[in-house]
Amino acid sequence: MEKEAAGPAVSFNGRQSVFDLLYENLSPDIVMEFDSGNCIEGGEDPVRILQKYADRKILLHLKPYSYEGGFDVVLGDAADANDWHSILNGTEASFEWLLVESENRLLPEMENVRLCLENLKKLLGEC
């Protein structure tokens, strides 16, 4: 008696990123939320991933990340490792939503929100 498969078969060859694994094995009908900061923290390049999967619907999770301070950075600051211009303009990807999450613990929450919003407005104005 054969067992029925519980879901899609997925294999990992060690040369794939987790993003490749997900995007290549999940239906295009599934809208992915792509987190730029977690991508960088995991050793990947957000621009490469967004270019490669530009045909997918994406919720773009704008998350600042610093190589020196981790997530304790304001979106768009000099220490933010995200290449926001390339992320927002350098791909053919179309984003269903832009979501901002900052885990910065160095500033009071509302100050951090204000600075992230100011910088995001500047970035979008440059697009």
Side-chain angles (χ1 to χ4, degrees):
M1 179 196 262
E2 290 185 33
K3 290 175 99 176
E4 287 188 38
V10 177
S11 65
F12 183 69
N13 65 21
R15 293 182 302 275
Q16 295 172 299
S17 74
V18 68
F19 301 102
D20 293 327
L21 188 66
L22 290 170
Y23 283 112
E24 292 171 9
N25 289 286
L26 293 174
S27 166
D29 295 331
I30 296 174
V31 178
M32 301 289 284
E33 182 175 337
F34 180 80
D35 185 314
S36 65
N38 286 344
C39 180
I40 295 170
E41 182 187 37
E44 271 293 343
D45 175 11
V47 175
R48 183 193 77 79
I49 299 294
L50 292 171
Q51 286 172 335
K52 185 171 182 180
Y53 300 105
D55 61 326
R56 300 289 298 256
K57 290 183 179 178
I58 296 173
L59 302 176
L60 182 57
H61 194 147
L62 308 170
K63 188 173 191 177
Y65 180 78
S66 165
Y67 292 114
E68 298 81 31
F71 294 108
D72 289 328
V73 63
V74 172
L75 186 143
D77 276 358
D80 186 355
N82 285 277
D83 178 356
W84 294 118
H85 293 284
S86 294
I87 289 171
L88 295 170
N89 298 316
T91 70
E92 296 297 316
S94 63
F95 307 118
E96 298 289 309
W97 288 89
L98 297 178
L99 309 150
V100 176
E101 175 188 4
S102 179
E103 296 180 4
N104 187 341
R105 301 167 294 164
L106 301 178
L107 294 172
E109 289 178 8
M110 294 310 291
E111 177 67 5
N112 184 52
V113 169
R114 184 185 65 74
L115 292 170
C116 286
L117 184 57
E118 282 178 8
N119 288 346
L120 179 59
K121 286 179 180 179
K122 287 178 194 171
L123 289 166
L124 293 175
E126 296 168 5
C127 292

